Amino acid sequence: MSLHVNLASVITNENGHLLLVRREDLGGWGLPAAWPHGDAALLETAALGVHDATGLTARIERAAGVYFWPGLATLTLVYAGSAVGGSRGSGQFFAPVALPAMPAHQTLMALDALAQTRHRPRVLDISAAEQQRLRFGQSLRRFTGRLRGQGGGPAPLLDVQAVAVVMDEGHRRVLTLRRKRTEALPRVVCAGQKPPWDELAALIASEARVPVSFRWAGVWQDRASRRLDLIFAATASETFEQPGRSEWSLARQVALPAREAQYISRVRPSFARDPIWIIDQENSLKAGDTIPGSKESER
């Protein structure tokens, strides 16, 4: 089993006010959200989710955070941007100091993004009763989507893998693991039962005995195969006697798959403050692009 990946958007207007919509699945106000369907890029999906819910055209400008829902096998990627046109329809803008009552996790995501801080990946604190209510809400959302002709099949399962770029304190060496006589970055297939960054940390603790605390650094998407790599970065103290299959390799010389070499080149010493980067296999969209509404949503 892999993860469900949900996208939520924190959209502001020229006054810095936050766009919220009535969410049937939440029973009140919340952030515009969308499941990635078909072969759409993540940025496109986030923008079209805003348009479908409100009629507004959004410019998605940056990734703002990653959140894991315990018990729901769901990961939410939050993107932030601005409204650049269209009608807000059923949406409404609220001043950040006067937000309406809404679920605590929605408030957390919104305020995290508005603060523009690079917080660590978060595990949402939700009770068993809230998990059950959210499952029901997701089913309701899919059902009403089908009635409106907006799709609404089961939330899509993506092939989500988490990859670690662990650098030494001098940012010269990278932690690698031997795989079939080659070197590779630590990688796990996300089963949805634990946060991806915790699965990575457990792998590294087991094979390299190196404690790590991760930041989300980037994402790679292959739309055709419905696959995502979520890249997490950390700094750790280099040790000279590595157990098992682990090794500290010179970052500029280690032979890695081309995609993993890109990940290393993008993780700089300032990764904890740098923008979260996106690599699209088709390379047709980037943060800051304005994505108009889909033809289907404009009918």
Side-chain angles (χ1 to χ4, degrees):
M1 181 180 186
S2 190
L3 281 172
H4 300 291
V5 176
N6 185 38
L7 308 180
S9 297
V10 175
I11 304 299
T12 55
N13 63 11
E14 65 276 8
N15 298 317
H17 291 184
L18 173 67
L19 176 67
L20 297 177
V21 297
R22 289 286 187 179
R23 293 273 300 270
E24 294 170 336
D25 55 334
L26 300 177
W29 292 102
L31 299 170
W35 299 105
H37 282 278
D39 60 356
L42 294 179
L43 294 175
E44 182 181 8
T45 299
L48 293 180
V50 175
H51 188 276
D52 289 344
T54 66
L56 284 169
T57 298
R59 179 183 292 118
I60 303 299
E61 295 160 353
R62 59 188 174 88
V66 56
Y67 302 80
F68 180 76
W69 301 75
L72 297 176
T74 298
L75 197 71
T76 292
L77 308 182
V78 176
Y79 289 89
S82 55
V84 295
S87 169
R88 59 184 172 87
S90 60
Q92 188 170 332
F93 285 100
F94 294 88
V97 295
L99 297 179
M102 56 183 181
H105 55 79
Q106 293 286 301
T107 302
L108 175 65
M109 293 176 186
L111 294 181
D112 277 348
L114 292 173
Q116 299 192 34
T117 56
R118 282 293 313 281
H119 60 82
R120 296 187 184 279
R122 297 195 192 277
V123 178
L124 297 173
D125 183 14
I126 55 176
S127 66
E130 191 172 8
Q131 290 179 26
Q132 184 175 3
R133 183 176 62 79
L134 287 167
R135 288 192 191 96
F136 174 78
Q138 290 174 357
S139 299
L140 176 63
R141 183 176 165 195
R142 293 193 291 271
F143 175 73
T144 55
R146 286 196 296 271
L147 292 179
R148 296 168 182 167
Q150 297 173 348
L157 281 171
L158 304 181
D159 175 9
V160 182
Q161 300 190 16
V163 184
V165 177
V166 181
M167 305 296 295
D168 71 342
E169 292 170 337
H171 210 78
R172 294 178 60 252
R173 296 181 184 272
V174 62
L175 184 68
T176 59
L177 301 178
R178 282 185 285 279
R179 294 286 185 263
K180 296 181 181 180
R181 291 177 293 184
T182 64
E183 298 295 317
L185 296 177
R187 176 186 291 269
V188 296
V189 177
C190 301
Q193 297 174 359
K194 294 181 179 179
W197 49 93
D198 284 354
E199 293 186 74
L200 270 181
L203 171 69
I204 293 170
S206 172
E207 297 207 10
R209 298 177 192 168
V210 174
V212 289
S213 180
F214 284 115
R215 300 272 185 165
W216 185 26
V219 60
W220 171 89
Q221 179 183 17
D222 183 347
R223 306 185 218 170
S225 63
R226 300 190 58 77
R227 181 173 171 184
L228 294 179
D229 277 1
L230 297 173
I231 298 88
F232 297 92
T235 301
S237 297
E238 178 184 0
T239 54
F240 295 97
E241 294 185 4
Q242 289 299 115
R245 298 177 295 175
S246 63
E247 183 176 340
W248 287 98
S249 305
L250 284 171
R252 294 185 178 181
Q253 297 180 9
V254 62
L256 292 172
R259 195 164 75 245
E260 294 191 356
Q262 284 190 66
Y263 300 165
I264 293 175
S265 70
R266 288 171 177 259
V267 175
R268 303 181 298 177
S270 55
F271 68 83
R273 303 182 302 277
D274 291 342
I276 298 163
W277 39 268
I278 302 171
I279 302 175
D280 189 315
Q281 181 77 348
E282 297 185 18
N283 199 31
S284 60
L285 292 169
K286 61 184 182 300
D289 284 351
T290 301
I291 302 164
S294 64
K295 292 180 181 178
E296 201 170 283
S297 64
E298 290 174 345
R299 290 174 186 168

